[in-house]
Amino acid sequence: MSLIHLVILSPFLLAIFVPLLHKYFKRIHTGWFVLLLPILLFIYFIGNSGKTMDGNTYLSTMDWIPSLGINFAVYLDGLGLLFALLITGIGSLVVLYSIYYLSKEKEALNTFYVYLLMFMGAMLGVVLSDNMLVLYSFWELTSISSFLLISYWYHREKSRYGALKSMLITVFGGLSMLAGIILLYTMTGTFSVRETIANVDIVTAHELFVPALILFLLGAFTKSAQFPFHIWLPDAMEAPTPVSAYLHSATMVKAGIYLVARMSPVFAGAPEWFWLISIFGIITLFWGSFSAVKQTDLKAILAFSTISQLGLIMSLLGIGSAAVYYDYLEENIYTVATLAAVFHLINHATFKGSLFMVVGIVDHETGTRDIRKLGGLMNLMPITFTLAIIGGFSMAGLPPFNGFLSKEMFFTGMVNATQIDAWNMETFGMIFPVLAWIASIFTFIYSMVLVFKTFTGKYQPEKLDKKPHEAPLGMLIPPIILASLVVIFGFFPEILKGLIEAALHSIFPSNFTVEDVHIYFWHGWTIELFMTIGVIAFGSLLYFTLAKWGKIYEWFPKRLTLNKLYDGGLVGLERGSFAFTKFYMTGFIRNYLVMIFGFMALLLLYVMGQAGAFNFSLDNASEVGVYELILALVMVIAAVTILFTKSRLSAIIALGVVGYSMSLFFVLFRAPDLALTQLIVETVSVALFLLCFYHLPEISKKVNRLRFRLTNFIISISVGIVVILIGLSVNSSRVAESISDYFVTASYEEAGGKNMVNVILVDFRGFDTLFEIAVLTIAAFGIYAMIKLRLTKGGSQ
């Protein structure tokens, strides 16, 4: 195991000890122990940034399931480094912020930090894994850990609802991505991202190219809250503010962005990739910004603003993918869009992270996030107001902050899109700059609402739960650091030049030359500058007249929304599944056996018929000896006795005779291990039956005439005939070579065991056996927890 493997696994290892730290060091906030790890990881990645920005990559492979091509391969390049720095850097600030936000007396900090570390490790695994199946494993772990974090305050119904909603939507996307991974493996024969990129010519020419592309985008769109899958993100805001600042501004929602960027060398240049990402991105940008203006909850405003900003980045990646189509140009103008996407990715993490923390401070110090109750906090919370100004103005794209620089580049990318002379862009190209400009106006409006509706205007102390005051220094340090980065990256964007260039080299093919990164404020009187001036002018006008035109939001029918569709879909699934379950779960074993045996007989008959496997010959049959005849006769007599006996004791004994006779058959056929297993199982079964039936009353002597059931007769005869036909066919011919010879040889030579059955269970079926044990273990923990909770609840009563 290499050091970078340990880096990824370290959050999981620390999570094991968090409950112990919480238990034995109660006077110390658990966050102080946790804080050290993300800081060390951030320092580690900073230390590796120099080599990576020089174009070097790092690859380390650890065998996991090599026979299936599954290895824990870690690949660190420019793109992975960028996200790793965001994950660990923002993670460090979030942990520090949470120390002052979450009370060690009132909150279950042990579970909070376990979940947070799980998420941090899972995100590092996503952005640093080269094997796509390993990437998928970490991908789904982010969904699970985010579910636990969002539902941290599980006593709140909205928290549980938001957590379930986010998990259902993102897991659906994850399963779609898994299907896409399998299709890529079908095309290339590898799960490695690097090797898949090397075989891009095979992928693009394959008939499964477009299905794989769509499945990957489903995973990316659901995780990054793209329209129409964005509906989970606002409900996820029920999580504690540190969670929102971490998951929903810098990490989890950026996982979809990472996936699109990482897979661009495989799919970029295709019209389907260009149109799907660009269109859904620009729609998400517009709808998120438009919806944010009508919100009255500060976190709801930030939720829809996050949706909007994610759409902005996604649309830039879509437009930038056109650069691969024009890879013969010496100066490719479409790389600007991808450059803007990477730059805004960093900027968004800084200003949105600080804004989430500002909102958390306001909520923590006033007891509310409702802007209708807030106002006039500027004098009471001057530092927080300053941070809100910096973050809000950067989000609005105003100078001299970093958001202005990336917003100008965003406009440049959208304007350049009109010059694409392929994929019908001559006709539809103007849609992009127009929608981008309109969405930017709404972005300006909700940024102003967030800042000025909260901190200026009339102070309303009677509507507040607490008397507001400035937050403690520890809670202010993280947003101050992020706001400082907003200013620093605004005035000195060249600091990020090497990091951005390295990320761009990862996104574009290796043989593609990326123009040097030059970011600065003044480009002259360009169309982008006039677009920004128009945004400020129209945005200011609409902000001051919001009360007059804001009523247009009431025109939208409340019943015809995606949230209603989601809720109705869940209700429909529940009702449908209940009706279907009620249909076949009748409570009668006879009905269940009818369905099971009927389906089995039909399926086996169909498969055998399709395979042409019915072939009867007695040439290879062994002679039937006298012992076999006697045992068969004994089994038949015992089986018939079970049907007609009037004593339960006799029926149990007769059933035991059938089992013991079968074990004797195994002895005759030279399978002593199976005979021993059969004897043990039969003995235990008979003993348990006798123990249970001893306490039951005698069988009623009243004679009931049973009505002849044609269904029972047909199914019983069919099952018997099918089993006989399969037995005769198997004995007569083979459609494939027997696998038994392989196990006979390999059991000893490869597994070192002479008992073939044990070797199969422990070695060849090791994962199957392990998962069976895991399922039983999970069930046991669940049963123990329910009993424990019930006893605790009963004791408290």
Side-chain angles (χ1 to χ4, degrees):
M1 180 184 295
S2 65
L3 179 59
I4 196 166
H5 282 102
L6 185 60
V7 165
I8 296 174
L9 297 177
S10 58
F12 301 104
L13 296 176
L14 179 58
I16 298 174
F17 297 98
V18 165
L20 297 177
L21 295 172
H22 177 72
K23 181 178 181 180
Y24 293 107
F25 299 93
K26 294 184 178 180
R27 294 185 178 181
I28 303 175
H29 197 288
T30 310
W32 289 114
F33 298 107
V34 177
L35 177 61
L36 183 63
L37 178 64
I39 292 176
L40 291 175
L41 296 182
F42 182 75
I43 294 172
Y44 168 80
F45 286 113
I46 285 289
N48 285 274
S49 61
K51 296 179 180 179
T52 305
M53 288 188 289
D54 288 338
N56 298 313
T57 59
Y58 179 83
L59 175 66
S60 178
T61 302
M62 184 174 66
D63 289 341
W64 186 15
I65 315 176
S67 60
L68 299 179
I70 304 175
N71 302 306
F72 190 5
V74 178
Y75 184 67
L76 180 63
D77 62 352
L79 187 64
L81 175 67
L82 169 60
F83 278 88
L85 289 173
L86 288 177
I87 293 165
T88 54
I90 302 295
S92 301
L93 298 177
V94 165
V95 173
L96 176 60
Y97 181 83
S98 67
I99 293 173
Y100 294 90
Y101 187 88
L102 297 174
S103 170
K104 67 177 185 292
E105 289 81 16
K106 299 179 181 179
E107 304 290 352
L109 298 179
N110 53 334
T111 57
F112 176 82
Y113 287 111
V114 167
Y115 301 158
L116 194 67
L117 288 168
M118 282 174 56
F119 178 81
M120 184 182 297
M123 277 301 304
L124 287 174
V126 166
V127 302
L128 297 178
S129 294
D130 179 63
N131 188 288
M132 286 184 280
L133 282 183
V134 177
L135 185 153
Y136 167 75
S137 301
F138 284 118
W139 182 279
E140 293 296 45
L141 188 55
T142 62
S143 296
I144 295 172
S145 53
S146 65
F147 167 82
L148 295 171
L149 285 168
I150 295 169
S151 62
Y152 173 68
W153 286 324
Y154 58 87
H155 54 278
R156 301 179 181 179
E157 183 180 355
K158 290 185 177 180
S159 296
R160 300 193 302 270
Y161 173 81
L164 180 62
K165 192 175 188 179
S166 67
M167 188 174 70
L168 287 177
I169 293 176
T170 56
V171 167
F172 159 74
L175 291 173
S176 301
M177 184 182 75
L178 176 61
I181 291 171
I182 295 172
L183 291 185
L184 281 184
Y185 178 79
T186 302
M187 292 182 253
T188 62
T190 179
F191 289 116
S192 170
V193 176
R194 295 176 299 104
E195 294 175 10
T196 302
I197 294 172
N199 294 311
V200 66
D201 293 337
I202 298 175
V203 175
T204 53
H206 204 281
E207 60 183 2
L208 296 177
F209 174 74
V210 174
L213 181 152
I214 293 173
L215 290 169
F216 267 94
L217 288 183
L218 279 174
F221 286 173
T222 51
K223 191 71 94 174
S224 287
Q226 298 299 292
F227 184 91
F229 306 108
H230 66 283
I231 56 175
W232 68 265
L233 187 56
D235 291 293
M237 291 300 151
E238 291 298 324
T241 298
V243 174
S244 300
Y246 192 39
L247 274 66
H248 306 138
S249 67
T251 51
M252 177 179 171
V253 291
K254 301 287 177 63
I257 302 293
Y258 167 81
L259 183 66
V260 170
R262 177 60 76 193
M263 300 309 295
S264 286
V266 179
F267 298 110
E272 297 85 0
W273 183 262
F274 172 86
W275 280 114
L276 287 173
I277 298 177
S278 302
I279 289 295
F280 279 94
I282 204 72
I283 291 175
T284 304
L285 165 63
F286 171 79
W287 186 250
S289 60
F290 179 74
S291 301
V293 176
K294 70 174 182 178
Q295 307 302 318
T296 57
D297 184 284
L298 290 176
K299 285 185 74 173
I301 295 174
L302 289 182
F304 281 99
S305 74
T306 300
I307 293 169
S308 175
Q309 299 293 313
L310 292 171
L312 182 152
I313 299 172
M314 193 69 79
S315 64
L316 285 171
L317 289 176
I319 296 298
S321 68
V324 179
Y325 183 81
Y326 291 98
D327 60 356
Y328 57 85
L329 294 181
E330 294 181 1
E331 295 183 1
N332 198 316
I333 61 175
Y334 306 111
T335 57
V336 174
T338 308
L339 170 59
V342 174
F343 186 36
H344 197 73
L345 181 77
I346 302 171
N347 294 339
H348 178 259
T350 56
F351 66 67
K352 186 57 66 66
S354 66
L355 286 175
F356 266 114
M357 294 178 183
V358 165
V359 167
I361 291 173
V362 172
D363 185 22
H364 192 271
E365 303 304 328
T366 64
T368 184
R369 301 193 304 260
D370 193 336
I371 59 174
R372 295 169 296 187
K373 299 178 181 179
L374 296 170
L377 300 179
M378 178 174 59
N379 296 325
L380 300 173
M381 307 172 70
I383 300 177
T384 305
F385 172 62
T386 303
L387 297 174
I389 285 283
I390 296 173
F393 281 21
S394 180
M395 184 166 62
L398 300 179
F401 307 110
N402 59 356
F404 169 77
L405 295 173
S406 52
K407 182 62 72 69
E408 290 289 285
M409 296 173 68
F410 165 63
F411 284 151
T412 301
M414 293 297 111
V415 171
N416 288 344
T418 61
Q419 302 180 38
I420 298 176
D421 58 358
W423 309 324
N424 294 321
M425 281 296 288
E426 302 91 341
T427 306
F428 300 103
M430 283 303 300
I431 294 176
F432 292 98
V434 171
L435 282 180
W437 186 72
I438 296 174
S440 298
I441 292 175
F442 287 106
T443 300
F444 179 89
I445 297 171
Y446 70 66
S447 299
M448 298 304 106
V449 169
L450 180 72
V451 174
F452 295 112
K453 294 287 186 181
T454 305
F455 293 95
T456 63
K458 182 181 178 181
Y459 176 52
Q460 308 175 80
E462 69 281 359
K463 296 182 179 180
L464 304 179
D465 297 335
K466 302 178 181 179
K467 183 178 180 180
H469 55 80
E470 192 58 86
L473 180 62
M475 192 178 290
L476 289 170
I477 289 176
I480 287 175
I481 294 175
L482 289 173
S484 300
L485 292 177
V486 169
V487 177
I488 293 171
F489 292 160
F491 282 103
F492 308 103
E494 293 294 317
I495 295 175
L496 301 172
K497 176 182 177 180
L499 186 60
I500 295 174
E501 280 188 341
L504 288 175
H505 279 290
S506 302
I507 296 173
F508 290 115
S510 57
N511 61 348
F512 192 88
T513 302
V514 182
E515 186 181 0
D516 289 340
V517 175
H518 297 292
I519 306 173
Y520 42 88
F521 277 100
W522 181 250
H523 295 266
W525 295 98
T526 61
I527 186 174
E528 294 87 345
L529 181 60
F530 286 113
M531 291 174 72
T532 299
I533 294 173
V535 166
I536 297 173
F538 280 95
S540 300
L541 176 64
L542 292 176
Y543 170 73
F544 288 112
T545 59
L546 179 60
K548 296 182 178 180
W549 63 267
K551 295 181 180 180
I552 64 171
Y553 290 102
E554 299 176 3
W555 298 351
F556 292 86
K558 295 182 180 180
R559 295 183 178 181
L560 300 177
T561 63
L562 290 170
N563 281 303
K564 289 291 183 180
L565 179 63
Y566 167 83
D567 294 334
L570 283 186
V571 172
L573 286 174
E574 290 177 359
R575 290 177 178 175
S577 61
F578 178 77
F580 182 68
T581 304
K582 189 176 180 180
F583 167 73
Y584 72 87
M585 294 295 290
T586 60
F588 295 99
I589 296 179
R590 183 188 70 83
N591 293 344
Y592 302 151
L593 294 177
V594 165
M595 287 183 277
I596 293 171
F597 287 128
F599 179 77
M600 182 189 76
L602 291 174
L603 180 62
L604 290 175
L605 279 173
Y606 174 77
V607 172
M608 295 288 286
Q610 288 292 108
F614 288 119
N615 187 9
F616 310 114
S617 174
L618 300 179
D619 295 338
N620 298 325
S622 302
E623 294 184 1
V624 180
V626 64
Y627 298 112
E628 287 90 341
L629 288 173
I630 294 174
L631 282 177
L633 182 61
V634 169
M635 292 180 71
V636 170
I637 294 173
V640 173
T641 301
I642 296 173
L643 296 177
F644 294 99
T645 184
K646 297 182 179 179
S647 169
R648 287 196 178 93
L649 182 61
S650 300
I652 295 171
I653 294 174
L655 182 62
V657 170
V658 175
Y660 288 122
S661 300
M662 179 60 69
S663 64
L664 291 177
F665 265 117
F666 288 139
V667 173
L668 293 176
F669 296 151
R670 298 185 183 135
D673 50 346
L674 294 178
L676 181 61
T677 304
Q678 177 71 20
L679 285 171
I680 294 173
V681 171
E682 199 61 41
T683 301
V684 172
S685 300
V686 170
L688 289 175
F689 273 126
L690 289 173
L691 183 63
C692 295
F693 283 94
Y694 174 79
H695 299 282
L696 294 178
E698 291 289 333
I699 298 177
S700 176
K701 296 182 179 180
K702 182 180 179 181
V703 178
N704 294 321
R705 292 185 176 274
L706 297 177
R707 184 167 56 88
F708 176 77
R709 294 181 181 272
L710 180 62
T711 304
N712 293 1
F713 176 79
I714 293 174
I715 290 179
S716 59
I717 295 299
S718 300
V719 171
I721 292 175
V722 167
V723 172
I724 292 172
L725 291 176
I726 291 175
L728 293 174
S729 300
V730 169
N731 189 56
S732 302
S733 63
R734 296 185 184 275
V735 296
E737 292 295 327
S738 174
I739 198 174
S740 59
D741 294 335
Y742 167 78
F743 286 117
V744 170
T745 305
S747 294
Y748 184 74
E749 294 181 355
E750 297 186 13
K754 295 182 179 180
N755 190 315
M756 188 169 64
V757 175
N758 290 350
V759 170
I760 290 174
L761 291 174
V762 176
D763 293 291
F764 294 106
R765 290 181 64 247
F767 274 102
D768 190 14
T769 306
L770 175 64
F771 291 148
E772 290 174 358
I773 296 172
V775 169
L776 292 175
T777 304
I778 293 170
F781 278 126
I783 294 171
Y784 173 78
M786 288 189 289
I787 294 174
K788 190 78 173 178
L789 289 172
R790 184 174 181 180
L791 292 175
T792 304
K793 184 178 180 181
S796 64
Q797 291 175 348

